[in-house]
Amino acid sequence: MKNLFFSICAFAIVALMTIDANAQVRTPAASPFSKLTQMVGLTEVTIEYSRPSVKDRTVFAENGLQPYGEWWRVGANQATKITFSEDVKVGGKELKAGAYAILAKPAASDWTVNFYKYETGNWESYRDMEPTVSLMLKPTKLNDMVETFDIDVNNITNSDATIDLRWEKTKVSIPLSTMTEKQVMASIERTMAGPSGNDYYAAASYLLSEKKDLTKALEWVQKANSMGEPRFWMVRTEALILAELGKTKEAIAAAEKSKKLAQEAGNAQYVSMNEESIKEWSKKK
């Protein structure tokens, strides 16, 4: 009985140790992560950052939580990341589409705000890098306290907006301009111009693969080959469609053209495929 008692106790201790080893206490983050996505015209703006709180501290001051004249990650924890789906302008300066880390150097009368090509979440690594864009912006004083740091996209029009940084009683607005008019006009021109050569080629290739409506497939692949410089793989598809339609003479002519284009492009595989097809189709003449 005594041995049984000690065995049960030993088992209980091991079980408690196992539970303790696997247990994970979850607590709220001091500066919770936030992700904002906002469309401005036809451009998607995504901001990923952590949000510290004031907690009865002085934030922006000579001896504040974020002292004047020192670089700040514009948030907490890792580097704040801003991603633009299209080319934009910030403060009138151009930024290519992509992801950027943002750092700021607050001061009483003006802030330096820098954008860097995003490489890492380690914000300190950017301080020794050359920024892609550097802006000098004027802070404004808010009447109401903003307890938790906030980044938002406001004053949105079809082409413009502001990226607003707000914390404590300070606000800094980054002017944002998108290329909406250029994007819309390009879209209109593409639509009005009709399908591209690639569109016609893709449609013809699909019909060929499914062996459906090969007359329409031929029409479309010939349109594709008439738009710009013909490509050996596109002319090869035309040859295959012609062969499926029983147009052997035309198929051989197209295969010869595809072979020549492939030779010029240095593609031995297509040269060989066309030679085999020409040999096979020539027996049917």
Side-chain angles (χ1 to χ4, degrees):
M1 181 65 72
K2 185 181 291 185
N3 289 339
L4 177 61
F5 173 76
F6 283 118
S7 296
I8 292 170
C9 288
F11 176 80
I13 291 170
V14 170
L16 287 171
M17 290 175 65
T18 302
I19 292 170
D20 183 66
N22 293 330
Q24 291 185 342
V25 177
R26 297 180 65 211
T27 60
S31 301
F33 175 78
S34 181
K35 182 175 181 178
L36 165 72
T37 299
Q38 176 64 58
M39 292 299 298
V40 180
L42 297 176
T43 300
E44 184 175 88
V45 181
T46 303
I47 304 172
E48 300 169 73
Y49 70 113
S50 294
R51 304 182 62 193
S53 295
V54 176
K55 298 178 181 177
D56 296 322
R57 299 172 291 185
T58 300
V59 178
F60 301 115
E62 291 292 345
N63 298 311
L65 177 64
Q66 177 53 51
Y68 287 153
E70 294 188 12
W71 287 109
W72 177 42
R73 72 197 81 179
V74 192
N77 303 328
Q78 293 191 323
T80 289
K81 182 179 180 181
I82 301 182
T83 305
F84 304 104
S85 64
E86 308 287 341
D87 296 351
V88 299
K89 289 184 179 180
V90 289
K93 298 182 179 181
E94 293 186 2
L95 278 180
K96 294 294 184 183
Y100 295 87
I102 179 173
L103 267 62
K105 185 184 286 185
S109 59
D110 50 48
W111 282 35
T112 302
V113 177
N114 288 353
F115 287 81
Y116 305 82
K117 287 295 291 183
Y118 190 89
E119 295 181 359
T120 174
N122 177 15
W123 72 276
E124 292 184 333
S125 67
Y126 295 102
R127 294 189 296 183
D128 298 325
M129 295 182 185
E130 189 71 23
T132 306
V133 162
S134 183
L135 305 175
M136 198 70 105
L137 301 169
K138 296 289 183 184
T140 57
K141 200 74 173 175
L142 298 172
N143 293 325
D144 298 324
M145 168 70 73
V146 177
E147 171 65 24
T148 303
F149 175 59
D150 178 63
I151 306 178
D152 203 359
V153 181
N154 296 307
N155 306 305
I156 300 169
T157 70
N158 284 340
S159 300
D160 302 295
T162 57
I163 300 173
D164 295 332
L165 318 178
R166 301 186 309 139
W167 198 18
E168 200 181 32
K169 288 195 172 183
T170 299
K171 174 183 173 182
V172 172
S173 293
I174 304 170
L176 173 68
S177 299
T178 66
M179 312 298 180
T180 302
E181 183 178 352
K182 180 180 178 181
Q183 293 162 2
V184 170
M185 292 308 299
S187 176
I188 290 171
E189 289 172 5
R190 283 196 302 269
T191 302
M192 295 305 176
S196 68
N198 286 334
D199 292 330
Y200 279 121
Y201 171 70
S205 297
Y206 171 75
L207 291 180
L208 173 62
S209 67
E210 296 296 315
K211 299 293 189 291
K212 292 181 178 178
D213 202 350
L214 293 176
T215 301
K216 177 61 72 175
L218 179 61
E219 176 189 340
W220 284 344
V221 77
Q222 288 178 337
K223 280 187 178 180
N225 286 327
S226 69
M227 300 171 73
E229 291 294 325
R231 301 290 186 262
F232 58 86
W233 63 90
M234 296 169 72
V235 179
R236 166 76 179 167
T237 298
E238 181 177 347
L240 293 172
I241 294 171
L242 286 164
E244 286 290 336
L245 288 169
K247 299 177 182 288
T248 307
K249 183 178 179 181
E250 293 93 328
I252 292 172
E256 292 282 8
K257 183 176 181 180
S258 176
K259 175 185 171 182
K260 181 181 178 183
L261 291 169
Q263 287 172 331
E264 292 171 355
N267 191 299
Q269 182 182 8
Y270 268 79
V271 170
S272 177
M273 286 193 299
N274 281 303
E275 286 177 343
E276 289 177 11
S277 294
I278 292 166
K279 183 178 178 180
E280 177 188 343
W281 297 337
S282 293
K283 296 176 182 177
K284 299 179 181 179
K285 290 176 66 177

